[in-house]
């Protein structure tokens, strides 16, 4: 039982490497789905495993066993491992819950401030121009969706580059990328290894928007130039928008520009072996976590006297 519950805690350490390679070998749009779903599933399995460890440790204490109407405290074959693991799991879950609540509060405040700022400006369609000396542009989710761009950013780009930038941001809103980014952020608070996977999800969202913008504009070099100029202009600008409001200057810009400028004949062909490995790793983690939790449930039933051995 205990060994099974440790599997979902160990396997996420493979996720960052597998996530990067999956993005390299799949088109950005499907990679975004695979990476986000895997991160959420790995995080869920981790939380289930930690919760099962905490419950196991609590029910070994006579006072908590009595509260759970157990005939006798929970018995496990590896008592010397379960109690320390339960204590550690309690600390990890507490820390994760605190950091998640803090991040959620901070992001909610940033989102409300951004929506309020956009609401006070006259919008031309979905475009909202904010008078600011700091170059920035991002896709703001909500009803209605907005493309927020500062006057400093508009001055940094030419007319064609502006249209490419707007196409990029519209692709974020059209693809609902804020949902993917929020899900990856949630997963990152459940396991430390998933923080690096979160960064890969962000890169996948930017790459997907890059490709969508290139399709709309019809000029990959123009999109690459617009992204590079926007990144150079906004590199020193303070980040005031919420993390799930995707912007064209996010992620490793040189890597994104190189992907856009790569000739069609030299673009990496989709190879799904790494993606299958990531999915298999995720499935193994989920199955192990579920099986471990079911074993804990079985042991509780035995301790309650509901099942005769």
């Amino acid at each position: 039982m205990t060994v099974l519950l440790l599997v979902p805690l160990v396997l996420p350490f493979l996720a960052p490497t597998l996530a990067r390679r999956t993005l390299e070998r799949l088109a950005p749009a499907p990679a975004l789905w695979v990476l986000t779903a895997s991160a959420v599933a790995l995080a869920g399995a981790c939380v289930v495993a930690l919760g099962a460890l905490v419950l196991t440790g609590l029910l070994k204490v006579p006072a908590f066993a009595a509260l759970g109407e157990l005939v006798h405290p929970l018995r496990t074959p590896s008592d010397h491992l379960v109690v320390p693991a339960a204590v550690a799991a309690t600390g990890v879950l507490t820390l994760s819950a605190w950091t998640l609540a803090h991040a959620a509060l901070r992001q909610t405040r940033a989102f409300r401030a951004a929506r309020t700022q956009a609401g006070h400006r006259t919008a031309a369609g979905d475009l909202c121009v904010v008078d600011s000396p700091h170059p920035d542009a991002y896709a703001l989710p909500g009803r209605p969706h907005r493309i927020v761009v500062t006057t400093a950013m508009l001055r940094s780009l030419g007319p064609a580059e502006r249209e490419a930038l707007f196409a990029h941001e519209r692709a974020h809103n059209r693809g609902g990328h804020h949902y993917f980014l929020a899900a990856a952020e949630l997963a990152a608070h459940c396991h430390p290894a998933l923080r690096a996977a979160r960064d890969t999800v962000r890169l996948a969202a930017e790459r997907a928007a890059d490709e969508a913008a290139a399709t709309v504009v019809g000029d990959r070099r123009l999109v690459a130039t617009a992204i590079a100029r926007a990144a150079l202009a906004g590199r020193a600008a303070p980040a005031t928008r919420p993390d799930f409001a995707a912007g064209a200057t996010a992620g490793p810009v040189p890597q994104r520009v190189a992907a856009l400028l790569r000739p069609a004949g030299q673009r990496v062909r989709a190879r799904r072996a790494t993606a299958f490995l990531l999915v298999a790793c995720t499935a193994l983690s989920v199955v192990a976590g579920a099986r471990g939790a079911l074993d804990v449930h079985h042991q509780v039933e035995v301790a309650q006297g509901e099942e005769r051995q």
Side-chain angles (χ1 to χ4, degrees), residues 191-286:
H191 196 288
L194 296 178
R195 296 172 187 170
R198 171 192 58 190
D199 295 337
T200 306
V201 170
R202 289 176 177 172
L203 176 57
E206 294 304 326
R207 287 280 297 109
D210 291 342
E211 295 296 329
T215 300
V216 171
V217 174
D219 188 341
R220 300 179 67 85
R221 182 171 293 275
L222 175 60
V223 175
T225 302
I227 291 171
R229 287 181 181 270
L232 287 174
R235 66 184 183 279
T240 57
R241 50 188 161 94
D243 291 342
F244 55 82
T249 59
V253 174
Q255 183 177 340
R256 293 168 52 199
V257 170
L260 285 167
L261 295 180
R262 190 180 298 125
Q266 297 180 11
R267 289 175 199 158
V268 179
R269 294 182 178 178
R271 290 175 287 176
R272 297 176 175 82
T274 304
F276 288 149
L277 187 58
L278 176 61
V279 172
C281 176
T282 303
L284 178 60
S285 180
V286 170

Side-chain angles (χ1 to χ4, degrees), residues 24-50:
E24 292 172 358
R25 289 162 171 78
L26 286 183
L32 179 60
W33 280 96
V34 172
L35 296 177
T36 306
S38 296
V40 171
L42 287 170
C46 176
V47 171
V48 168
L50 290 172

Side-chain angles (χ1 to χ4, degrees), residues 126-137:
D126 62 347
L127 182 63
C128 178
V129 179
V130 176
D131 187 12
S132 172
H134 303 296
D136 197 10

Side-chain angles (χ1 to χ4, degrees), residues 54-70 72-74 304:
V54 171
L55 180 63
T56 302
L58 287 176
L59 294 182
K60 293 184 71 64
V61 178
F64 288 103
L67 289 176
E69 299 181 353
L70 272 64
H72 53 76
L74 199 64
Q304 288 176 330

